[in-house]
Amino acid sequence: MRLPRIAVLPLLLLGLPPAASASPTTDVAPKPPTLADVLAQSSAADWRRPEPEDTLYLDLPGGRVVIELAPAFAPAHVANIRALAKEHYWDGLAILRSQENYVVQWGDPAAGTPEARAFKQARRRLPAEFARAADGLAFVALADGDVYAPQVGWSGGFPAARDPATGMAWMAHCYAAVGAGRDNAADSSNGAELYVVIGHAPRHLDRNITLVGRVLQGMEILSVLPRGSGALGFHETAEQRVPIASLRLASDVPEKDRVDLEVFRTDTPAFARLVEARRHRREEWFIDPVGKVELCNVPIPVRVAAAGKS
Amino acid sequence: MRLPRIAVLPLLLLGLPPAASASPTTDVAPKPPTLADVLAQSSAADWRRPEPEDTLYLDLPGGRVVIELAPAFAPAHVANIRALAKEHYWDGLAILRSQENYVVQWGDPAAGTPEARAFKQARRRLPAEFARAADGLAFVALADGDVYAPQVGWSGGFPAARDPATGMAWMAHCYAAVGAGRDNAADSSNGAELYVVIGHAPRHLDRNITLVGRVLQGMEILSVLPRGSGALGFHETAEQRVPIASLRLASDVPEKDRVDLEVFRTDTPAFARLVEARRHRREEWFIDPVGKVELCNVPIPVRVAAAGKS
């Protein structure tokens, strides 16, 4: 069967060596590694296991969505989300919104009414956490530029941006980013309504809303949810909403029921090789090797850990 | 009900006037138009009706997807797609591929085998049409920069890019772009296998494959199709594939069965105001007005024409 290979993400990557340049190379130069090579040659130190306290399991009829929280960027929101998960706040609530090329969002359809579900330990109001001081935050820069921010790259495994002029850093709204919905007031989010980016990166939301993490696994469960027929993709009837079976911290789930994921580190020479392999597309399929890569087009690989590893 | 308004595309846009600057304004300056204002104040001349010969109807179980073809960029492919549509080539074939955050693709599952569906008038082989001379092509530039191309903007209503150094222009792989799948050879596409971008803009495909148009209506039918379980999101069994009821040129459909769409022109002062309203986000919801906009985040509005218009 003829297989039009316009997609090459997981299987067919060929890259240049990390220090590729226009200088002459000899015939004995090693073949540039593919993404598969980069991953196959990786050591245990190139991967990290997200902390169970930073990992959420959103269980839906379609399966489990795994989210990694980013306490370095949004400590107050992450603490509240942990509290809400421990209260089983979201269990039996629903996905309220699915907007084409934008976001899926869940929470309490009765929020703001007398029928709203009560908070127990969780706080009703939090400070805005749109950005934080770049100081003290490890940051791996991407050299390729960006339309929206003076500098972009990765911090703690999350796509991020920073501004040397202001000394601030923030997470970037790439595909799979998870944020806390708010009303017009900057401090009107409390983490009870969460959204996930399912379309082209809405980077204009950067620094306008608090991002709390990103989806590691299960995007294909969220992205195919039928779009809502109401304004902004909200569902108009209870029947249209997808119910949430449960939303738990991995640390509150018995170890045997956890998903043992490993995330490729973004602060290693191996990740630099991965970025280079995405910047210069030397796969046989590519006619033009491109030579540039945009932040949200760099994958951060996630794998299920080999059985038996501790 | 509390409505977290993180999305503002169709309803809540406020913009700056097109010539907004840092210079002082008086108290009597007119209020900057919203996107709704821009559209409400538009005249008939700000809208265009795609030619029926350039319009495809892809009829699926989930509804109709309307595609506008771009003969200015891919004349040979568009001619072949017209020929294939007239042959009813795709009727009864299927969507073969749905890859998460990437593309949906359709064609003949038996392509390349003895069971492949025959071509009648359509050509089996076409030249690659990855780019064309910028000369003779009207182009409205976007001033905000781009990671992948020296210059981006719009041409004939399509997001596009060009390179003054080479004198070439090409369509950009934004969300909803439609292209012709190919094998490794540059000239191995013939328009029989078409894909639509359903994720973050894969701009690395620009100049590597022939784009033929973009979806005007019905993206939400394609984007929610369950992802394929095979490599690259291909479906592995016939049952998983979504059948194509028919794919027709609008010009071959009785007028009463056509969808009368109008597309906002991209070469007008009104469109410049729209871009400005997306660049400077002055809606009440926004805390940071952003100040930049990326090519693929600028909407090109499409509306159903008022009944009775000719």
Side-chain angles (χ1 to χ4, degrees):
Chain A
M1 183 183 116
R2 177 165 166 270
L3 185 74
R5 288 193 295 268
I6 76 157
V8 292
L9 176 65
L11 297 176
L12 302 169
L13 273 175
L14 288 165
L16 282 180
S21 75
S23 61
T25 53
T26 68
D27 288 341
V28 296
K31 195 180 164 202
T34 65
L35 175 57
D37 293 335
V38 171
L39 300 182
Q41 293 162 7
S42 65
S43 68
D46 292 323
W47 297 84
R48 63 186 177 86
R49 275 195 167 79
E51 296 296 329
E53 299 73 29
D54 294 337
T55 305
L56 288 177
Y57 295 153
L58 169 62
D59 287 340
L60 300 172
R64 173 170 286 181
V65 178
V66 182
I67 294 166
E68 182 176 13
L69 298 168
F73 282 97
H77 281 75
V78 167
N80 223 41
I81 289 165
R82 288 194 192 112
L84 289 162
K86 285 179 183 296
E87 294 176 19
H88 300 186
Y89 171 80
W90 287 286
D91 301 12
L93 296 181
I95 292 184
L96 308 176
R97 177 187 191 187
S98 170
Q99 185 173 4
E100 175 59 14
N101 191 22
Y102 205 54
V103 297
V104 159
Q105 184 167 328
W106 62 89
D108 183 357
T113 75
E115 289 74 39
R117 184 169 293 197
F119 284 31
K120 295 171 189 167
Q121 303 301 317
R123 296 165 63 187
R124 304 206 141 274
R125 204 145 183 119
L126 300 177
E129 296 179 301
F130 302 165
R132 54 153 284 169
D135 266 4
L137 195 67
F139 192 90
V140 174
L142 177 68
D144 302 59
D146 186 69
V147 168
Y148 290 94
Q151 196 174 59
V152 292
W154 298 269
S155 186
F158 297 93
R162 62 182 186 179
D163 185 350
T166 62
M168 299 300 282
W170 56 93
M171 280 198 283
H173 276 83
C174 291
Y175 193 88
V178 183
R182 67 165 172 87
D183 289 323
N184 282 354
D187 62 350
S188 58
S189 63
N190 54 33
E193 301 222 25
L194 296 174
Y195 65 90
V196 176
V197 173
I198 60 161
H200 184 73
R203 295 284 309 283
H204 44 281
L205 299 181
D206 291 3
R207 290 188 291 184
N208 272 300
I209 195 164
T210 299
L211 283 178
V212 301
R214 84 173 181 110
V215 172
L216 298 180
Q217 192 181 64
M219 275 304 297
E220 74 286 357
I221 297 166
L222 296 174
S223 61
V224 301
L225 294 175
R227 307 314 183 209
S229 53
L232 307 177
F234 278 88
H235 294 300
E236 297 177 284
T237 66
E239 294 69 40
Q240 294 167 337
R241 296 179 191 128
V242 174
I244 294 172
S246 74
L247 206 172
R248 291 281 185 285
L249 283 168
S251 50
D252 290 337
V253 167
E255 209 155 332
K256 68 174 178 51
D257 296 329
R258 297 183 192 169
V259 187
D260 194 9
L261 295 182
E262 294 182 325
V263 182
F264 206 59
R265 288 184 183 277
T266 54
D267 57 355
T268 59
F271 187 72
R273 288 194 289 276
L274 180 154
V275 172
E276 184 60 23
R278 294 292 284 185
R279 176 183 292 124
H280 288 104
R281 306 298 292 256
R282 302 294 187 186
E283 298 91 341
E284 193 183 353
W285 186 88
F286 277 82
I287 311 290
D288 182 307
V290 190
K292 287 277 194 174
V293 66
E294 189 231 329
L295 177 69
C296 296
N297 271 324
V298 177
I300 303 172
V302 175
R303 69 181 182 189
V304 177
K309 278 194 183 174
S310 67
Chain B
M1 184 184 116
R2 179 165 166 271
L3 187 75
R5 290 192 293 267
I6 75 160
V8 292
L9 177 66
L11 296 177
L12 303 168
L13 273 176
L14 287 167
L16 281 180
S21 74
S23 61
T25 55
T26 69
D27 286 343
V28 296
K31 196 182 164 201
T34 64
L35 174 58
D37 292 335
V38 171
L39 300 182
Q41 294 163 7
S42 66
S43 69
D46 292 324
W47 297 84
R48 63 187 178 85
R49 275 196 167 78
E51 296 297 329
E53 299 74 26
D54 294 337
T55 305
L56 288 178
Y57 296 153
L58 168 63
D59 286 341
L60 300 173
R64 174 170 286 183
V65 178
V66 182
I67 294 165
E68 182 176 14
L69 297 168
F73 283 97
H77 280 76
V78 167
N80 222 41
I81 289 166
R82 288 194 192 110
L84 288 163
K86 286 178 183 296
E87 295 175 18
H88 300 184
Y89 171 80
W90 287 286
D91 300 12
L93 295 182
I95 293 185
L96 309 176
R97 177 186 189 188
S98 171
Q99 184 173 3
E100 175 58 17
N101 191 20
Y102 206 53
V103 296
V104 159
Q105 186 168 326
W106 61 89
D108 183 357
T113 76
E115 289 75 37
R117 184 168 293 196
F119 283 31
K120 295 170 189 166
Q121 304 300 319
R123 296 164 64 188
R124 305 205 140 274
R125 206 147 181 118
L126 299 177
E129 296 178 302
F130 302 165
R132 56 154 282 171
D135 266 4
L137 196 66
F139 191 90
V140 174
L142 176 68
D144 302 60
D146 186 69
V147 169
Y148 289 95
Q151 196 174 60
V152 292
W154 298 269
S155 186
F158 296 94
R162 62 181 185 179
D163 184 351
T166 63
M168 300 299 283
W170 56 94
M171 280 198 283
H173 275 84
C174 292
Y175 194 88
V178 182
R182 67 165 172 86
D183 289 323
N184 282 354
D187 63 351
S188 57
S189 63
N190 54 33
E193 301 221 25
L194 296 174
Y195 66 89
V196 176
V197 173
I198 60 160
H200 184 73
R203 297 282 310 282
H204 45 281
L205 299 180
D206 290 3
R207 291 188 291 182
N208 271 299
I209 194 162
T210 300
L211 283 178
V212 301
R214 84 171 180 111
V215 173
L216 297 180
Q217 192 181 64
M219 275 303 298
E220 74 286 358
I221 297 166
L222 297 174
S223 61
V224 301
L225 294 175
R227 308 313 182 209
S229 52
L232 307 177
F234 278 89
H235 294 301
E236 298 176 284
T237 67
E239 294 69 37
Q240 294 167 336
R241 294 180 192 127
V242 174
I244 294 172
S246 75
L247 206 171
R248 291 280 185 285
L249 281 168
S251 50
D252 291 336
V253 168
E255 209 154 335
K256 67 174 178 52
D257 297 329
R258 296 183 193 169
V259 187
D260 193 10
L261 295 182
E262 294 181 325
V263 181
F264 206 59
R265 287 186 184 276
T266 54
D267 57 355
T268 59
F271 188 72
R273 288 193 290 276
L274 180 153
V275 172
E276 184 60 23
R278 294 292 283 184
R279 176 184 293 124
H280 288 105
R281 305 300 292 257
R282 302 295 186 185
E283 299 90 342
E284 193 185 354
W285 186 89
F286 277 81
I287 312 290
D288 182 308
V290 189
K292 288 277 194 172
V293 66
E294 190 230 328
L295 177 69
C296 296
N297 271 325
V298 177
I300 303 171
V302 175
R303 68 181 183 188
V304 177
K309 279 193 183 174
S310 67

